[in-house]
Amino acid sequence: MTNTVQIISPVDGRVFAERQYADIVQIEQALAAATAAQAQWKRRPVSERAAFCSAAVDAMLAMKDDIVPELAWQMGRPVRYGAGELRGFEERARHMIAIAPQALAALEADPLTGFRRYIKREPMGTVLVVAPWNYPYLTAVNTIIPALMAGNSVILKHASQTLLVGERFAEAMRCANLPEGLFQNLLLSHIHTGVVIGSGQVQQVNFTGSVAAGLEMQRSAVEDFLRVGLELGGKDPAYVRADANLEHAVENLVDGSFFNSGQSCCAVERIYVDRKIYPAFVDRFAELTRQYVLGNPLDEATTLGPLVSPGAADFVRGQIADAQALGAKALIDPHAFAADLPGSAYLAPQVLVEVNHQMSVMRDESFGPVVGIMQVDSDEEAITLMNDSEFGLSASIWTRDLVAAERLGDEIDTGTLFMNRCDYLDPALAWTGVKNSGRGVTLSPMGYDHLTRAKSFHLRHET
């Protein structure tokens, strides 16, 4: 096995960066340093931790002008949208810092004469964060800042495709003068990631990625009784009721389907539309989709960049072809997008109708710019189809009826239920999944529950 890793840019297929994997000596040193640093860090008051973490956020934002084009080169997102990820990064980090004093406060039991009883939230120890490439700052910050605020040390293992993001996190922590060893970025091979998990010096693993990799993480952690947080795949559905604001629904669902070239775990991948408005919805959806500009993500005019790799694009091409062979109709002519070349990472957006759940494109995560649209005759049919999936990350209902949205939302197997919006993480709410979309929680006060352990104090006064 080679001891180096390369970023092959989806922009032009060239090597954008190359680094060496950490070796076993570096890993052992990092683990020891994390343990030592955490022993002191947990004794600092939350206000001091907040000052360090806020400074790290400031330092990261100061790098924006370098980060935005760097993101485009690493994973293909157009530069016109690059700053948006940093805005989300800041929103989540600032919110989790702000709520930490209350979220981490001891829980006092009801008064009992002669006793003081309370539950403290103790840090887990060292948290390993395994972050993905598709939203490399957002997904990582969901755990990194809360873990530090809770009194833990953090080791970041970022995806090799976006390994420079890990270096940016490390640089921001250095600029904030975080104690030595408290946060470390390690470029780990698959084998060495297992070594870290099995070292006995990591107490929590938070992983974002595929279902198969998540299952492997879970198996690795079981033998050492590690807690594992998993954010895995999605096949997120939307239901457009007859009373929906049609223009609003179309505009937001097109964006929710194709932003980041559909490379989001909570992207909208299947849409169910009431038969009464189905023709108008489909026509407007396809019309708006045709307005995308597919091209070099470093061009400000580009609104749709390449997928992360030619292989990822070919997978989606295969799903589209298979669906068409089974009777699906494609509404978008890929030849209208000059950059869409067979075998390349550049793939035109596609809208499929006359689809059904026997087709892979309506069952299996696409992670690309394709969406299937089906007509339905009732709320009950829509809910049945929305739940017909191994995934359950987020779902959206488009309606003017709040009561109906809440009633139907209770019937949908999902971690987050949206009404009249989609593809968004609210840091005030728990980000979680059901079924094969994951385990555990990030963000919100509940996110701190998964980065701490309970310690009860039962104190009897002298008599």
Side-chain angles (χ1 to χ4, degrees):
M1 184 188 73
T2 179
N3 64 346
T4 63
V5 60
Q6 296 177 334
I7 296 177
I8 306 298
S9 175
V11 175
D12 57 11
R14 290 185 293 180
V15 176
F16 180 64
E18 184 172 7
R19 297 289 189 273
Q20 283 195 327
Y21 283 120
D23 60 32
I24 196 66
V25 173
Q26 291 171 313
I27 291 169
E28 290 174 350
Q29 290 173 342
L31 289 167
T35 300
Q38 193 270 333
Q40 300 302 316
W41 177 251
K42 69 179 183 181
R43 294 183 172 89
R44 290 180 181 263
V46 172
S47 59
E48 287 189 18
R49 299 177 203 161
F52 280 105
C53 289
S54 295
V57 174
D58 293 340
M60 186 74 85
L61 297 175
M63 305 178 210
K64 182 185 74 172
D65 291 345
D66 294 323
I67 285 174
V68 169
E70 194 172 81
L71 265 180
W73 280 109
Q74 290 180 95
M75 48 75 66
R77 185 180 306 136
V79 291
R80 67 185 294 156
Y81 303 128
E85 176 152 5
L86 288 180
R87 287 193 294 272
F89 164 90
E90 180 179 18
E91 178 187 30
R92 298 179 192 184
R94 303 278 194 217
H95 180 80
M96 295 306 289
I97 292 170
I99 69 171
Q102 182 175 356
L104 295 170
L107 300 177
E108 296 282 347
D110 292 338
L112 183 64
T113 302
F115 293 89
R116 186 187 175 198
R117 302 172 301 154
Y118 58 95
I119 306 168
K120 289 188 67 175
R121 300 181 190 275
E122 292 281 293
M124 293 296 298
T126 296
V127 177
L128 172 64
V129 179
V130 184
W133 54 263
N134 62 320
Y135 282 95
Y137 288 93
L138 290 180
T139 51
V141 80
N142 286 354
T143 299
I144 290 172
I145 290 296
L148 292 172
M149 287 299 302
N152 299 290
S153 59
V154 173
I155 292 177
L156 172 63
K157 185 271 182 207
H158 219 297
S160 58
Q161 186 67 35
T162 43
L163 61 87
L164 298 184
V165 175
E167 294 179 5
R168 291 290 181 186
F169 269 100
E171 185 177 351
M173 299 300 176
R174 285 194 296 271
C175 290
N177 294 313
L178 226 68
E180 190 72 25
L182 188 66
F183 174 90
Q184 296 175 80
N185 171 57
L186 291 180
L187 187 55
L188 297 172
S189 67
H190 178 76
I191 292 174
H192 281 161
T193 300
V195 169
V196 172
I197 292 173
S199 67
Q201 297 181 75
V202 167
Q203 286 72 45
Q204 168 87 17
V205 180
N206 275 34
F207 170 81
T208 304
S210 70
V211 174
L215 183 59
E216 199 168 330
M217 286 281 175
Q218 182 77 65
R219 287 171 175 161
S220 297
V222 164
E223 294 183 2
D224 295 291
F225 297 106
L226 297 187
R227 289 210 317 202
V228 180
L230 302 172
E231 182 189 333
L232 307 175
K235 191 72 182 175
D236 290 5
Y239 171 37
V240 185
R241 300 180 84 228
D243 68 338
N245 179 327
L246 190 60
E247 297 296 335
H248 176 79
V250 168
E251 179 182 355
N252 284 273
L253 284 170
V254 168
D255 182 68
S257 300
F258 300 127
F259 188 80
N260 205 38
S261 297
Q263 297 172 123
S264 170
C265 52
C266 59
V268 176
E269 295 204 1
R270 44 197 179 106
I271 303 175
Y272 307 96
V273 183
D274 188 284
R275 185 180 297 274
K276 300 182 188 68
I277 61 170
Y278 178 82
F281 179 90
V282 167
D283 286 346
R284 296 181 193 189
F285 194 99
E287 179 184 359
L288 188 55
T289 300
R290 294 186 186 103
Q291 296 177 24
Y292 275 99
V293 178
L294 176 68
N296 189 318
L298 296 161
D299 185 341
E300 284 286 349
T302 295
T303 57
L304 194 71
L307 272 70
V308 70
S309 69
D314 282 344
F315 174 80
V316 180
R317 289 187 180 100
Q319 278 192 320
I320 294 169
D322 289 347
Q324 289 177 294
L326 292 172
K329 179 182 177 182
L331 301 183
I332 307 300
D333 179 8
H335 296 103
F337 296 81
D340 184 334
L341 299 174
S344 78
Y346 290 85
L347 178 64
Q350 188 56 267
V351 181
L352 297 174
V353 294
E354 299 179 25
V355 292
N356 58 57
H357 279 216
Q358 281 67 55
M359 299 173 182
S360 170
V361 77
M362 296 298 284
R363 293 193 323 270
D364 304 318
E365 187 173 33
S366 300
F367 226 63
V370 60
V371 64
I373 306 178
M374 291 178 65
Q375 60 184 356
V376 294
D377 290 311
S378 65
D379 289 345
E380 291 72 24
E381 182 182 7
I383 299 308
T384 297
L385 290 168
M386 293 173 87
N387 285 339
D388 182 27
S389 174
E390 67 175 288
F391 299 109
L393 187 58
S394 78
S396 59
I397 296 176
W398 303 78
T399 179
R400 301 175 194 267
D401 189 337
L402 176 61
V403 173
E406 291 181 317
R407 173 176 56 83
L408 297 174
D410 283 338
E411 303 302 319
I412 300 173
D413 300 329
T414 186
T416 295
L417 188 282
F418 295 107
M419 172 182 170
N420 297 331
R421 82 176 308 175
C422 58
D423 193 25
Y424 172 72
L425 273 71
D426 184 340
L429 299 178
W431 187 243
T432 186
V434 299
K435 298 192 279 191
N436 280 352
S437 283
R439 300 290 185 273
V441 172
T442 57
L443 303 178
S444 80
M446 293 183 70
Y448 279 110
D449 294 342
H450 289 260
L451 293 165
T452 56
R453 62 178 179 83
K455 184 176 183 178
S456 294
F457 283 73
H458 189 107
L459 311 177
R460 184 172 187 171
H461 301 170
E462 287 186 357
T463 58

